[in-house]
Each structure stands twice: as C-alpha cells, then as structure tokens.
Amino acid sequence: MSTSLIAFIILVAAFAIGSFTRINAGLIALVAAFGVGTMLVGMPIKEVIGQFPAGLFFILVGATLLFAIVRINGTIDLLAYWAERLAGNRKVLVPILMFLLTAVLASAGAFTPAAIAIVAPVALALGLRFGISTLAMGLVIVQGANAGAFSPVNPFGVLANVMLDEAGASADSLKLYVYCFVFNAVLAVLAYVLVQWIMKRRAARESGDESAATGADASQDPVRPGADRSTAGGPGTSVLTVAAPAQVATDPASRQGPIKVAATPIRVLTLFGLGGLLVLTTVMGIDVGVASLVVALVLICVKPGVQKPAVESMPWSAIILVTGIVTYVGLLEEMGALKELEAGIAGLGDSSLAALIASYVVAVVSAFASTTGTLGVISPIVTPIAMDPVLSPIGVITAIAISSSVVDVSPMSTSGALLMASAQPKDERMFFRALLLWAIAMIGMVPLLVWVIFVQLGLG
C-alpha cells in the first residue's frame, strides 16, 4: 500500500470519527498530520507546522470576532429589522433578497468569504424570524456568493479568465459569468425548496409524535381552556434535527409585525465598519481576515465592553476543525499525493473524459482547501484539455469553475466555516454534519451534470 493511499485513508478515518463521535475531526487531522509527516514521509516538524493555513486562520478569527461584536451590539438585529420591513409579509422575498445581496457583493469584486461574512449573520437571523430553515438560508447565500464569484473583477473570475485567455477564448469572459450565475441561481432555488420541504415534514412528524405522546395522558392532566400551552406540548415550536441543523421558528402566519430596532450611534458606526470592510477587501485588496481585525479593533476601542463576550462567543472548536483538516490537506499536497492525481488526469488520452475527471478532482480538493488555490493548481492541466478542437473551451472551463466553487459550502472551506460561525453555538455540530452531507452530494452530482451540459452538449 502506497504512502499516499495510507494518508488518504487516515483523512477519511478522521472524518468518520469526527462525524459519529464528539471528538473534533480537525484535532484528529492536526495530530495525524504530524504523525504522517514525520513517521511516514520523514518531514521535519517545522515543515509540517508550515502547512498550517495561517491565512485561513486569520480569516476565521477576524471574521468571527467582528461578527460576534456585530451580533452583541445589536447591529444584526437592526439589519434584520430593515430587511424584514422591506420584505413585509412576503416570506418568499427573504431568500431572494439575501441571494441577490451576496451575489452583488461578489460581482463587485468582494472575495466570496467577505461577501458571506457580511450577509450570513443577517440572513440566518432573518430566516429564524420568518420561520425559514437556517440551513436553507445558509445554502442560498453561499450560492449567491458563487453566482457572482466569476465576474471579471472577482478573484475566482480572474483565475478562470486566465484559463480562458490561455485557451484562446478570452472573448467568452461574460459568458462564463452568466453561465455560473444562472447555474447557481437555479441551484439556490432547488436547495431552498428541498431543505424547506424536508424540515416541514420533520417538523410535522415531530409534532405528531408529541401529540400522540401527550394525548395518552390528556384525561389525567388536561390543559384547561385559556391556560398557558407553552409547556403542554413538549419542546414547543422550535424543532432542531440532527440531519439538518435548521430551526423552524414559530409559524410565520402568527408572527406579528417587525419589532422596531433603534439605529443607535454604535450600530451606525458598525454599519460604516462593515462598509469599510468591503472597501478594504475589494478596493484596497487587503486580506479579509486582516481587514476584519482592523474593523473589530476600532469597534472595541469605541466600546471596550464588547471585547470579552465577543472573544468568548467565538466558535473556537469550528476554527480548530477547519484549520486542522486544511493542515492535513496541505500535507497531502506537500508529499505529492495530490500531484499523483493530477498526473493521472494528464495521462488520459480522451479529452472529454479528462475534463470529467478534472471536474471531480477540483470538486473534491476544493471542498477541503482553497478554491482559489485549487483553480491555480489545476490551470496547467485544464488549459490543454480546453484547447482540444473537439471541445468547447468555454464549456470545459465553465464546468471546472462550477465544480470547484459549488462545494464551498463544505465546513472545511472558508465559506462553510463562516456559515458555521454565524449559526447558533448550540447548532455547531449539526450544522457541520448537514453542510458536509450537502457538500458530498454536490461532489457526487454537480461535476457530472455540468460535464454533460457544458462539455458533452457543448453549451457555449
């Protein structure tokens, strides 16, 4: 058995243990990285430490600290109040508004983690108010970010356009953006409808089980007319399931109008800070993690009392989970395990089949690593495939672009980790499982689907 295969098996084992026990999979992967790196590969400990994703760590720490402050000082409540007034009683407008807001930010050049970091806390809080699954809202905003991610000014779009240029199809830059936008918009609708349908069925089942359980004792302990029924039916109307971490809030039909939230000076300053975050990341090109720390520090200086609760509420276990897994993936890349996959793809004689396998490879790798890095690594392999006269360059590159970004909902990617950070702390493990399952589903289905649409059918 080769060293690379052993390393992959250990990674799968870390996921399995982390998914079915309370042990943090990232901690397992982090320790395993040192074991595999030093004992199997013979790497010095310093080189293994060098695989730690410092940039991702700063993004997670900066973004989660900033939005812990935003949540504590009530700015999220203010934004949710404004959005709720705009939506009125039209529940269907809530996910549409959140999708478009994230897509516009990404299209304007915001790195997808920055767009998600800005929108996610508001979207999830607003979803709870309208009785919308938090998982459904999370998937919608990630697809919104991906919809705008391949605009010519977004980092993802820049890398994809380099592949187009090298393949002699630079004129198709706008097509790439439109195809990716439409595909992600359709996927967002499907994700929202599917998750909402699943949650309604499970909520109804839970309600039925509780009614059956309490009905047997109804004659012995009746609920008097006019009495408080909040404890008579079990845990109430908020339902949380293991398979999909989505809270179903009270029935929107019984929900009263939005409760007014005042625009206090600190909340107004926080809004300017969020605007500043967008400027720092898109116009000045500053790393989203560093920019988040700068804005967070300014807000702490204005109101020092938020520092302690903000730091204490940061999802440290999620940070360890993501950085540990990514460290291990970095080790796989350093030891050449990923290069073996790339060499196998390059050695295939059929360009169409090579495009399909490349789509699956970028989907798998991007789910556990940086999409930007994945696109950069795969570019030398994709360009010769796209230049095959039998295939359409825009079709091949669109398939690669969508396959690499659609899995960003994975909790091991920055976008998925930010969703976990924006969720309720008690939902963290269940959010992890649900996002991981969705990412696995995307890995299994989307590369084949886009290969058929854009490569086989030659759309473009």
Side-chain angles (χ1 to χ4, degrees), residues 210-211 214 218 221-237:
E210 290 167 7
S211 297
T214 56
D221 186 21
V223 180
R224 298 184 307 275
D228 183 6
R229 297 176 180 263
S230 61
T231 58
T237 56

Side-chain angles (χ1 to χ4, degrees), residues 22 128 134 238-242 245-248 313 315 317 420-432:
R22 294 183 178 275
L128 284 176
T134 52
S238 181
V239 178
L240 191 64
T241 65
V242 173
Q247 293 175 323
V248 179
S313 65
S317 61
M420 290 179 61
S422 301
Q424 298 291 328
K426 60 187 175 63
D427 297 345
E428 180 183 299
R429 284 182 59 81
M430 287 173 283
F431 232 76
F432 171 76

Side-chain angles (χ1 to χ4, degrees), residues 320-451:
I320 293 174
L321 174 68
V322 176
T323 53
I325 294 294
V326 174
T327 298
Y328 194 90
V329 173
L331 174 67
L332 292 178
E333 185 173 4
E334 183 67 20
M335 63 187 286
L338 300 183
K339 287 290 184 183
E340 292 182 17
L341 291 176
E342 296 170 11
I345 294 173
L348 292 173
D350 188 333
S351 295
S352 178
L353 180 60
L356 175 61
I357 295 178
S359 297
Y360 271 106
V361 169
V362 295
V364 172
V365 175
S366 183
F368 307 108
S370 164
T371 301
T372 309
T374 303
L375 287 172
V377 170
I378 203 70
S379 178
I381 299 173
V382 173
T383 301
I385 298 174
M387 293 177 67
D388 190 316
V390 177
L391 303 178
S392 163
I394 181 62
V396 172
I397 294 170
T398 299
I400 295 295
I402 293 175
S403 298
S404 66
S405 60
V406 76
V407 296
D408 281 355
V409 72
S410 163
M412 269 66 65
S413 72
T414 306
S415 299
L418 287 171
L419 282 186
M420 290 179 61
S422 301
Q424 298 291 328
K426 60 187 175 63
D427 297 345
E428 180 183 299
R429 284 182 59 81
M430 287 173 283
F431 232 76
F432 171 76
R433 291 178 182 176
L435 293 178
L436 182 59
L437 287 174
W438 183 267
I440 291 172
M442 294 298 98
I443 291 172
M445 295 186 295
V446 170
L448 178 60
L449 178 61
V450 295
W451 176 75

